[in-house]
Amino acid sequence: MKLTIVSNYINHHQIPMANELYQKLGDDFAFIQTSPMEEDRVKMGWGSEVAYIPYLKLYYEEEQYCADLILQSDVVVFGGVEDESYIKPRLHAGKIVIRASERLYREGQWKSISPRGRKKKYEDHTQYADAPVYLLCHGAYVASDFEIVHAYPNKKFMWGYFPAVHTYEFNDLFFRKQHVDATGKEQVRILWAGRFLKLKHPEYAVKAARFLKSQGISFHLDMVGGGILEERLKRMTARYQLNQEVTFHGFQPPQSVREYMEEADIFLFTSNYLEGWGAVLNEAMNSACAVVAGHGIGAVPFLLKHGENGLVYKTGCFKEFRESVLRLCKDQKLRKQLGMNAYNTMIKEWNPKTAADRLCRFSEGLLKGEVTPERTGPLSIAPVIHPKEGYRYTHKGQCKQNNG
């Protein structure tokens, strides 16, 4: 079986699964990159591995070769590319296509009323309802968006991003998470990591730090990243008299971010609905952090069950967020239990090897005319979760099934 993935560019969140596919399929696997990586992501250290990837093909350097490969492969996974011209010849030929997509209406499903938008969605998606075209949902609200345009009935599956998963000896890892303050008292280590953008609400972390200090909690907050809100956040920190409790580390390469996670007790994930997936959640869970995350983040309903492997607050509700953080700061046993369960979620199911194995099995089934979903996790049937239902889903697991 010849399997090809087509995306705008490859990054460290995609490479681990791609490596697993290459190990399984050898030269029958290729990853086609259609565009050079953006400069700001290169500065963050995202592109350092590209020169050494044997299966990576660059469309903008080998256009004809890549176009032929897209048409001739047995199965093509296509996603992250706005230009549909790359995949249209294959769609017109009626060959198997697996689309991988984040949300259509990240800014609100009310945007689906646009006549021009609906026409484009019909051309790209809805008209292939009866064709051998399937959808991998990069986030919990993707299936709901595609339901609106009546696309991929009974052919929408859970998916995501699969950054590298590390294995740890629990005692060693939790020893690294033990910290004390200057008085010898236990100190809770809290981490926020990402770009300082409005959609990611890094100010939640600083405001929570102010609240924790008022409650007499011994803690330290590490802010890893940078962006347009950086100076504002630093002014907030000074105004709240938190310079001893909060440290800004700037942008760090991916490996350094993982090291901060390995030493953190609590990880804060505060983005709003504009966060399509959020692979930083995978990494924090793999590092056995006790996560506090907003339900509107695409990855959260797929990866987290409230009270079992993390705490989920209603996106936009700062009070619930800060109370969840305070609860974890006061309960070491709960922090450890949530962290262990989060780690096991990554090790047992949401990891690159499992994803690669399931994608190959699923693709081989398609070649035989069979659609065989998994029971849980990656490549299971994607539940239809309206964004307003995500909070309830993470707390009770309630939603309607994807019935097309």
Side-chain angles (χ1 to χ4, degrees), residues 185-197:
K185 182 181 178 182
E186 179 195 19
Q187 183 184 69
V188 180
R189 204 80 180 190
I190 305 171
L191 175 64
W192 191 101
R195 288 179 290 170
F196 296 158
L197 303 177

Side-chain angles (χ1 to χ4, degrees), residues 186-369:
E186 179 195 19
Q187 183 184 69
V188 180
R189 204 80 180 190
I190 305 171
L191 175 64
W192 191 101
R195 288 179 290 170
F196 296 158
L197 303 177
K198 185 176 179 181
L199 74 92
K200 294 179 180 288
H201 289 286
E203 76 280 3
Y204 269 37
V206 178
K207 290 180 179 180
R210 182 190 192 189
F211 175 67
L212 295 176
K213 187 173 182 178
S214 74
Q215 300 297 306
I217 301 296
S218 178
F219 73 95
H220 192 87
L221 170 64
D222 292 298
M223 299 289 290
V224 176
I228 59 174
L229 298 180
E230 184 168 354
E231 291 307 314
R232 176 188 167 194
L233 293 169
K234 289 180 176 178
R235 289 195 299 270
M236 284 178 59
T237 299
R239 186 167 69 251
Y240 295 159
Q241 299 182 353
L242 293 170
N243 287 330
Q244 297 300 313
E245 290 83 10
V246 180
T247 302
F248 290 86
H249 299 276
F251 282 122
Q252 298 290 325
Q255 183 52 44
S256 295
V257 177
R258 290 297 290 259
E259 290 170 2
Y260 280 105
M261 290 176 173
E262 290 162 0
E263 296 189 0
D265 297 291
I266 300 170
F267 183 80
L268 309 179
F269 198 12
T270 54
S271 298
N272 62 22
Y273 291 100
L274 295 177
E275 189 76 70
W277 177 259
V280 69
L281 177 59
N282 302 60
E283 295 169 329
M285 293 174 69
N286 179 216
S287 303
C289 296
V291 176
V292 180
H295 86 273
I297 297 164
V300 167
F302 279 1
L303 300 186
L304 290 182
K305 293 182 179 179
H306 178 75
E308 295 184 24
N309 62 354
L311 297 183
V312 181
Y313 69 94
K314 186 171 291 187
T315 293
C317 183
F318 176 75
K319 183 178 180 181
E320 184 180 2
F321 165 74
R322 75 178 191 182
E323 291 298 333
S324 295
V325 179
L326 178 63
R327 177 186 175 191
L328 288 177
C329 286
K330 290 183 172 181
D331 194 335
Q332 182 189 53
K333 182 178 179 181
L334 178 61
R335 293 198 305 268
K336 187 171 183 179
Q337 187 63 51
L338 294 180
M340 291 176 64
N341 290 344
Y343 172 83
N344 285 327
T345 299
M346 295 296 107
I347 290 293
K348 294 180 179 179
E349 193 164 57
W350 285 91
N351 60 74
K353 187 178 188 309
T354 298
D357 289 344
R358 292 185 178 190
L359 181 59
C360 285
R361 185 161 61 241
F362 184 76
S363 298
E364 289 166 352
L366 295 182
L367 292 173
K368 300 175 185 176

Side-chain angles (χ1 to χ4, degrees), residues 3 51 61 94 112-113 140-141 154 159 161-162 170 209 236 252 264 287 294 309 319 340 346 362 372 382 392:
L3 175 66
E61 293 184 3
S112 65
I113 65 175
Y141 308 114
N154 302 310
W159 199 243
Y161 294 99
F162 302 92
F170 270 132
M236 284 178 59
Q252 298 290 325
S287 303
N309 62 354
K319 183 178 180 181
M340 291 176 64
M346 295 296 107
F362 184 76
T372 308
R392 183 181 67 180

Side-chain angles (χ1 to χ4, degrees), residues 12-86:
H12 70 283
H13 294 152
Q14 298 167 304
I15 288 172
M17 188 191 73
N19 285 345
E20 294 288 346
L21 289 169
Y22 183 63
Q23 185 172 336
K24 291 176 69 69
L25 301 175
D27 291 339
D28 283 334
F29 171 68
F31 190 112
I32 295 177
Q33 175 172 301
T34 62
S35 308
M37 190 177 296
E38 298 106 315
E39 185 177 348
D40 65 331
R41 293 189 183 273
V42 173
K43 289 179 179 178
M44 292 169 64
W46 281 34
S48 58
E49 312 98 327
V50 169
Y52 309 101
I53 299 176
Y55 51 80
L56 183 64
K57 312 299 178 184
L58 306 179
Y59 197 101
Y60 44 92
E61 293 184 3
E62 302 178 88
E63 182 173 341
Q64 190 57 55
Y65 173 83
C66 290
D68 291 343
L69 185 58
I70 292 171
L71 189 59
Q72 295 167 7
S73 296
D74 294 307
V75 176
V76 171
V77 180
F78 180 82
V81 184
E82 292 185 5
D83 188 346
E84 289 286 314
S85 66
Y86 293 101

